[in-house]
Amino acid sequence: MALPGELWAELPAEKRIFTSVLLFSWAVYLWEAFLAHRQRRVYRTTTHVPWELGQIMDSETFEKSRLYQLDKSTFSFWSGLYSELEGTMILICGGIPFLWNLSGQISGRAGFGPEYEIVQSLVFLLLATLFSALTGLPWSLYNTFVIEEKHGFNQQTLGFFFKDAIKKFIVTQCILLPVTSLLLYIIKIGGDYFFIYAWLFTLVVSLVLVTIYADYIAPLFDKFIPLPEGELKQQIEVMAKSIDFPLTKVYVVEGSKRSSHSNAYFYGFFKNKRIVLFDTLLEDYSALNKEPVEGEEGENEETKSKTKNKKQGCKNEEVLAVLGHELGHWKLGHTVKNIIISQMNSFLCFFLFAVLIGRKELFAAFGFYETQPTLIGLMIIFQFIFSPYNEILSFCLTVLSRRFEFQADAFAKELGKAKDLYSALIKLNKDNLGFPVSDWIFSMWHYSHPPLLERLQALKDAKQE
């Protein structure tokens, strides 16, 4: 009687590859489901505010955050299960070669034969992203208009949602298709060292996108206005100057028209850096804190007008503390380090792609027996073959991110912002209904930011000083 190992060895190479990819995908899903189950158990059983949180969170907010996170976790379970089943069925039923052949038929009818592989690749990419958008639409609708609506975060109407989704799809295609066509062309003509040229091309594209995103892409979806002259702007400029941050502009983005979640970030290279603050972060600017003015109701029919009993956002001193944390990432070189790590990983992946692209069994494993299209090779190698490496890298980057967050908090502490950052973190946690209790394995694997209690404890000593 043959042993399982012997039976495995007797399978053709392409069958072993396909089975390994499928088994690893389900192993990752089951691992994630196990972690989520542990965290949901925390949500279900922790029904009272723990004693160490007594001074931080009232019981009403604690219960709201518990129910919100429980709903999100349950939704994530079902959407994750659907995604895994959909991916499995696509692989087993030959969905990838089917879509590739369909793309060939469409491009052929337009007068482009099999020799126009790049054209066929772009049609394939367009159809694949359209399929993904359509199958993901019901889940996105449920998340926005059931879960986010139920817990008071959604500010969108159905019309705004669909207009936004269509706009995102069009903008994505306008960027994705030209970039992909150039990348495929570079790989085709690059010779033995094409991986170097491909890597340099993706490096340039990523830097350009980071540079133009907030100026040209983000304003297509949200309104950006300069932060008005006043005390807050002056204090931000003084703080930026004190750490030699080359600040040129400060913007406020009207994030409140789609969600009441808050955020802040900076962008730009060299001597041209800008800061962007969501209006939901600013207590004095958030539209959610303002009473609707008579006669203005018709001005913005696409978004809902919801006012809250409690004010949302942070006071000026707390906003400065949050920015002190964000600017700490810049001053401590975290942004540059992340770019370097990302590009080293990108170069390694392109090098390994160059090594593996000639292996016909990789294509045969996914139903491509006669042709080896470059785009399909990129998909197979980057998405499936590299998946174990990607999981390990993702975990390592999560650990590094938590370390960077502690360092940025410490930097804000050195600026004398410990007390204000302490209160800002509590406010932001309440505004976003973050649940402050987490399972340790779930937290270790998923949280790119340290749990609230750990960050507050690190700030507490300096606050008391």
Side-chain angles (χ1 to χ4, degrees):
M1 184 176 178
L3 296 173
E6 294 173 346
L7 292 173
W8 177 259
E10 290 174 2
L11 287 173
E14 58 266 25
K15 294 292 184 183
R16 295 200 301 269
I17 292 169
F18 182 82
T19 305
S20 297
V21 166
L22 213 53
L23 288 176
F24 185 79
S25 176
W26 275 97
V28 171
Y29 169 76
L30 292 174
W31 168 246
E32 295 284 358
F34 167 71
L35 295 180
H37 170 73
R38 290 177 61 98
Q39 184 62 22
R40 276 196 300 277
R41 187 169 59 191
V42 172
Y43 296 145
R44 290 193 182 102
T45 57
T46 314
T47 56
H48 300 287
V49 182
W51 67 268
E52 63 265 36
L53 294 170
Q55 302 298 318
I56 297 172
M57 210 170 190
D58 59 85
S59 57
E60 181 185 355
T61 305
F62 184 85
E63 180 64 9
K64 284 181 179 179
S65 66
R66 186 183 74 85
L67 295 176
Y68 175 54
Q69 296 299 333
L70 185 58
D71 282 350
K72 282 179 62 180
S73 181
T74 303
F75 170 80
S76 180
F77 168 78
W78 290 110
S79 62
L81 177 60
Y82 168 80
S83 179
E84 189 64 26
L85 289 171
E86 178 189 89
T88 300
M89 292 304 296
I90 288 172
L91 291 178
I92 291 176
C93 298
I96 299 175
F98 169 80
L99 194 62
W100 177 257
N101 292 332
L102 178 62
S103 303
Q105 293 172 16
I106 294 173
S107 57
R109 289 174 183 172
F112 298 96
E115 66 274 15
Y116 292 94
E117 185 187 307
I118 292 179
V119 175
Q120 186 174 350
S121 299
L122 297 184
V123 176
F124 174 88
L125 204 56
L126 178 62
L127 293 177
T129 51
L130 181 61
F131 174 81
S132 178
L134 292 175
T135 56
L137 183 61
W139 298 100
S140 183
L141 282 167
Y142 186 88
N143 182 55
T144 302
F145 292 101
V146 177
I147 296 178
E148 296 293 302
E149 179 79 22
K150 174 182 175 181
H151 296 279
F153 288 112
N154 176 45
Q155 303 297 318
Q156 304 176 64
T157 62
L158 203 59
F160 179 90
F161 175 89
F162 277 108
K163 190 172 86 170
D164 202 48
I166 293 170
K167 195 187 297 183
K168 283 179 183 176
F169 183 82
I170 293 172
V171 171
T172 299
Q173 300 310 312
C174 289
I175 297 171
L176 181 64
L177 297 182
V179 168
T180 302
S181 62
L182 286 172
L183 176 61
L184 294 176
Y185 182 72
I186 289 169
I187 292 173
K188 288 286 186 185
I189 68 167
D192 292 340
Y193 298 101
F194 76 83
F195 63 93
I196 297 177
Y197 309 132
W199 167 68
L200 289 173
F201 172 71
T202 56
L203 169 62
V204 171
V205 168
S206 62
L207 293 179
V208 169
L209 288 177
V210 167
T211 303
I212 68 171
Y213 174 76
D215 286 327
Y216 300 102
I217 300 175
L220 296 173
F221 303 96
D222 295 301
K223 185 178 180 181
F224 284 67
I225 57 173
L227 180 66
E229 296 293 336
E231 184 181 358
L232 178 59
K233 185 177 181 181
Q234 291 175 356
Q235 290 174 325
I236 291 173
E237 290 172 343
V238 169
M239 183 172 67
K241 189 175 181 180
S242 70
I243 61 171
D244 300 319
F245 182 77
L247 178 65
T248 55
K249 293 180 182 178
V250 184
Y251 291 110
V252 177
V253 59
E254 291 185 354
S256 57
K257 73 178 184 179
R258 66 176 72 246
S259 172
S260 57
H261 290 295
S262 50
N263 197 8
Y265 62 91
F266 69 87
Y267 69 100
F269 289 102
F270 308 113
K271 301 294 182 182
N272 186 30
K273 298 192 182 296
R274 293 95 183 270
I275 289 174
V276 176
L277 305 170
F278 279 54
D279 61 345
T280 46
L281 177 68
L282 311 175
E283 186 178 274
D284 294 337
Y285 292 90
S286 177
L288 303 177
N289 293 333
K290 298 175 183 177
E291 294 292 337
V293 179
E294 190 175 346
E296 289 186 356
E297 193 173 323
E299 283 188 15
N300 193 3
E301 295 178 353
E302 291 184 326
T303 56
K304 302 175 182 181
S305 178
K306 295 180 183 177
T307 56
K308 297 185 177 183
N309 294 327
K310 296 181 181 179
K311 276 197 169 186
Q312 171 165 336
C314 299
K315 296 178 180 177
N316 286 359
E317 297 79 9
E318 294 164 338
V319 173
L320 286 170
V322 171
L323 283 180
H325 167 94
E326 294 300 327
L327 296 182
H329 286 304
W330 169 80
K331 189 68 173 179
L332 298 170
H334 296 165
T335 308
V336 173
K337 290 173 185 175
N338 280 329
I339 291 174
I340 292 172
I341 292 170
S342 172
Q343 293 309 314
M344 287 175 62
N345 173 63
S346 178
F347 181 82
L348 174 63
C349 288
F350 274 116
F351 172 74
L352 293 175
F353 170 76
V355 173
L356 296 172
I357 188 64
R359 305 293 293 269
K360 292 184 178 181
E361 60 267 30
L362 290 178
F363 290 90
F366 295 90
F368 291 84
Y369 299 100
E370 297 176 0
T371 60
Q372 290 85 43
T374 304
L375 179 65
I376 300 301
L378 285 167
M379 178 186 297
I380 290 171
I381 294 171
F382 276 75
Q383 185 174 342
F384 300 126
I385 305 303
F386 287 171
S387 53
Y389 164 75
N390 290 336
E391 288 297 320
I392 295 171
L393 178 65
S394 176
F395 173 69
C396 292
L397 291 178
T398 299
V399 173
L400 181 65
S401 175
R402 283 200 298 270
R403 180 179 175 83
F404 283 170
E405 292 301 318
F406 276 126
Q407 291 176 354
D409 282 351
F411 182 84
K413 185 195 301 184
E414 291 175 6
L415 294 177
K417 307 293 184 183
K419 181 180 178 182
D420 293 322
L421 183 58
Y422 188 96
S423 59
L425 289 175
I426 294 172
K427 277 190 177 181
L428 292 174
N429 186 76
K430 288 180 178 179
D431 288 346
N432 292 286
L433 291 184
F435 194 69
V437 183
S438 57
D439 174 77
W440 71 274
I441 303 181
F442 182 88
S443 169
M444 176 187 69
W445 188 259
H446 281 293
Y447 287 2
S448 61
H449 286 58
L452 177 65
L453 283 177
E454 292 182 22
R455 295 182 71 180
L456 295 181
Q457 187 59 45
L459 289 167
K460 203 169 187 178
D461 296 337
K463 180 191 169 193
Q464 289 173 344
E465 289 173 9

